[in-house]
Amino acid sequence: MSDNKANLTIGGASNDYAIMDGTVGPQVIDVRKLYAQTGMFTYDPGFTSTASCDSGLTYIDGDAGVLLHRGYPIGQLAEQSSFMEVCYLLLNGELPSKKELADFVNTITRHTMVHEQLTTFFRGFRRDAHPMAIMCGVVGALSAFYHDSTDINDPEQRKIASHRLIAKMPTIAAMAYKYSVGQPFVYPRNDLSYTANFLRMTFSVPAEEYEPDPVIVDAMDKIFILHADHEQNASTSTVRLAGSSGANPFACIAAGIACLWGPAHGGANEAALNMLREIGTVDKIPEYIARAKNKDDPFRLMGFGHRVYKNYDPRATVMQKTAKDVLAKLGVSDPIFDVAKELEQIALNDPYFIEKKLYPNVDFYSGVILSAIGFPTEMFTVLFALARTVGWVAQWNEMISDPAQKIGRPRQLYTGPTERDYVPVEKR
Ligand code: CMC
């Protein structure tokens, strides 16, 4: 807590509000007593100026393009670490020792199978259902299967639920894909890494084994790391809000998946690739840039701009390099990648994008990589959900463990009718 106070004078009455310090980043004004003292609320639709909690997980400096998990820069984690290690870090606060990591990987690996009865759930969906629709339903349904890990007041049960969610998400995601293409489900294999296992469950068929290529496994692992957590974004805030009422973790994560589905959030990678495909060739780029700048046209450059980053998204830097590696390894010369690179260059030098501080975000290049690996666009957001599960779970745990935690309950500026008398239908 800083010694400084923010003073607010309304109609002659003056009140002081404490200014709180984090370890780094902007200070916040503690307005918890504002309503009691002034009878007024703050007004902040979209929460652009509101901190909803304190958190020790992830730090973002949007102006400088910095993203840290538990203090470690995302670039270092993506280049030197593994997704399992980042999961441990987010859940436990510190990087694991060799033994801790081995134990953690062993635990996650041994939770990858899903209850056999869960497979019947999939058959209730239409084959052409969007896999995110399936994910919302099936992940929510986990609470009907794992009753021994839904008591949120028991830290051990919370830990088991967290491990289950991280472990089962790839299995469920791969099943959603298999169901949509009419292929049999593939069971997990414990001798493979988390990421190789997921790729195999997605791409192998009984008639032909899939040998995960180390370059592709590494790229996929990086994509998972880059999406693991991102502070109080829309889906994470949704998970926290759902969890604040005491809902069980499986239901909360299903709520997060629903929020992530939207095109302004997790759905943007799908939208970005569709946009690049629509542009198709470099000569069409100026036309789309003009559309993005036209106020009367709702078109936006997908994969560009971010609520928090007003600089190059540090995740996009890793993503661009990974796209290059994957395409080189697969020997693919994808014209979409050329369109993406050229579009980026043109936008970065255009006054409209410079003034509004619009830079490529994590989604700009991820679609190019995922498509080269063989994922259909509908699966992109599912992969985001898979990777973000650890962030959701870690944030949910942090919230539940906080003794000051309260149910999330925003207020409003009421603009509806004032009180009036009911009129019977025959008199209307
Ligand atoms: N293309 C063209 N103009 C844009 C874009 C864009 N992609 N993004 C923002 N703008 C303009 C916008 O029209 C507005 O202009 P003006 O001030 O003249 O009205 C200004 O920039 C500010 O936009 P905003 O919508 O108020 O900004 P926001 O912080 O509310 O929105 C955003 C952030 C990510 C929703 C938005 O930039 C966007 O829609 N981007 C495209 C979708 C996208 O790539 N989303 C992925 C985000 S990263 C993944 C994740 O974290 O989920």
Side-chain angles (χ1 to χ4, degrees):
M1 192 84 70
S2 152
D3 290 340
N4 288 335
K5 302 242 185 283
N7 182 267
L8 183 66
T9 305
I10 303 170
S14 175
N15 288 296
D16 283 339
Y17 296 94
I19 294 182
M20 298 167 75
D21 294 306
T23 44
V24 59
Q27 296 174 304
V28 302
I29 304 169
D30 182 351
V31 294
R32 279 175 289 185
K33 295 204 175 99
L34 183 80
Y35 179 61
Q37 290 175 341
T38 66
M40 290 188 188
F41 299 129
T42 53
Y43 181 68
D44 188 20
F47 308 118
T48 53
S49 298
T50 298
S52 60
C53 61
D54 47 56
S55 175
L57 268 98
T58 294
Y59 172 70
I60 303 174
D61 180 339
D63 293 323
V66 168
L67 167 60
L68 311 176
H69 290 319
R70 303 283 193 188
Y72 297 101
I74 190 66
Q76 290 182 23
L77 292 172
E79 292 300 337
Q80 300 171 45
S81 178
S82 68
F83 182 61
M84 277 293 95
E85 199 172 35
V86 171
C87 286
Y88 184 97
L89 174 69
L90 286 169
L91 288 173
N92 300 292
E94 294 297 335
L95 286 169
S97 67
K98 239 181 174 169
K99 169 152 190 341
E100 285 165 337
L101 181 60
D103 289 348
F104 180 70
V105 169
N106 187 46
T107 303
I108 296 296
T109 307
R110 277 169 177 72
H111 274 300
T112 46
M113 279 177 69
V114 292
H115 193 292
E116 193 60 21
Q117 217 175 322
L118 203 79
T119 59
T120 57
F121 257 75
F122 286 84
R123 303 191 205 289
F125 289 101
R126 280 171 56 139
R127 288 273 175 197
D128 60 355
H130 195 288
M132 282 298 273
I134 299 181
M135 294 299 288
C136 290
V138 175
V139 173
L142 291 177
S143 43
F145 286 85
Y146 300 102
H147 300 134
D148 58 344
S149 55
T150 52
D151 178 357
I152 63 157
N153 298 313
D154 177 349
E156 194 51 33
Q157 290 204 27
R158 291 208 300 272
K159 192 160 125 187
I160 296 170
S162 305
H163 291 161
R164 279 184 169 145
L165 277 157
I166 294 166
K168 294 186 198 308
M169 204 58 94
T171 314
I172 295 170
M175 287 167 89
Y177 171 68
K178 285 298 192 198
Y179 185 72
S180 71
V181 291
Q183 292 177 0
F185 299 141
V186 176
Y187 287 98
R189 235 177 61 188
N190 283 0
D191 60 324
L192 293 175
S193 72
Y194 183 86
T195 303
N197 198 16
F198 169 63
L199 288 167
R200 183 182 165 275
M201 285 191 287
T202 305
F203 294 120
S204 79
V205 286
E208 197 170 325
E209 193 43 63
Y210 172 85
E211 292 298 337
D213 183 310
V215 173
I216 306 302
V217 174
D218 184 58
M220 199 71 234
D221 208 66
K222 279 197 175 68
I223 291 180
F224 288 163
I225 293 174
L226 295 176
H227 287 89
D229 189 47
H230 211 228
E231 210 228 58
Q232 307 311 319
N233 57 85
S235 58
T236 301
S237 298
T238 301
V239 170
R240 278 186 178 256
L241 198 57
S244 76
S245 72
N248 77 70
F250 304 107
C252 295
I253 302 306
I257 292 173
C259 178
L260 186 74
W261 194 357
H265 191 6
N269 50 16
E270 185 175 339
L273 189 75
N274 288 338
M275 177 195 74
L276 291 173
R277 284 199 177 124
E278 192 184 307
I279 298 174
T281 48
V282 169
D283 58 301
K284 291 247 199 70
I285 293 174
E287 184 192 316
Y288 283 84
I289 295 271
R291 283 189 61 195
K293 288 157 55 174
N294 182 354
K295 281 245 155 281
D296 300 325
D297 189 329
F299 174 77
R300 283 188 169 197
L301 273 195
M302 298 313 283
F304 253 78
H306 198 274
R307 168 58 63 79
V308 181
Y309 293 117
K310 301 303 168 196
N311 200 326
Y312 209 97
D313 180 341
R315 302 169 299 173
T317 316
V318 184
M319 214 52 111
Q320 193 204 46
K321 185 177 169 298
T322 309
K324 217 161 117 201
D325 293 349
V326 167
L327 295 183
K329 172 69 199 182
L330 296 174
V332 179
S333 143
D334 189 343
I336 298 299
F337 188 46
D338 298 331
V339 171
K341 281 189 298 185
E342 188 62 21
L343 180 62
E344 176 186 339
Q345 279 320 308
I346 293 176
L348 289 180
N349 288 300
D350 188 299
Y352 172 93
F353 292 89
I354 295 170
E355 273 158 33
K356 295 190 188 305
K357 298 186 178 169
L358 298 170
Y359 294 85
N361 61 47
V362 67
D363 293 322
F364 194 63
Y365 286 105
S366 60
V368 175
I369 307 174
L370 297 174
S371 159
I373 294 177
F375 288 103
T377 44
E378 309 78 63
M379 278 298 286
F380 292 1
T381 319
V382 173
L383 302 175
F384 192 158
L386 187 171
R388 183 56 58 86
T389 296
V390 63
W392 290 331
V393 157
Q395 299 260 1
W396 170 81
N397 265 302
E398 186 182 56
M399 178 188 70
I400 301 289
S401 326
D402 180 356
Q405 186 262 326
K406 281 174 183 250
I407 187 168
R409 176 58 168 91
R411 303 305 298 258
Q412 62 172 10
L413 177 67
Y414 177 68
T415 56
T418 52
E419 185 171 333
R420 48 184 169 165
D421 287 327
Y422 174 80
V423 180
V425 70
E426 54 280 6
K427 292 203 177 148
R428 272 177 246 155

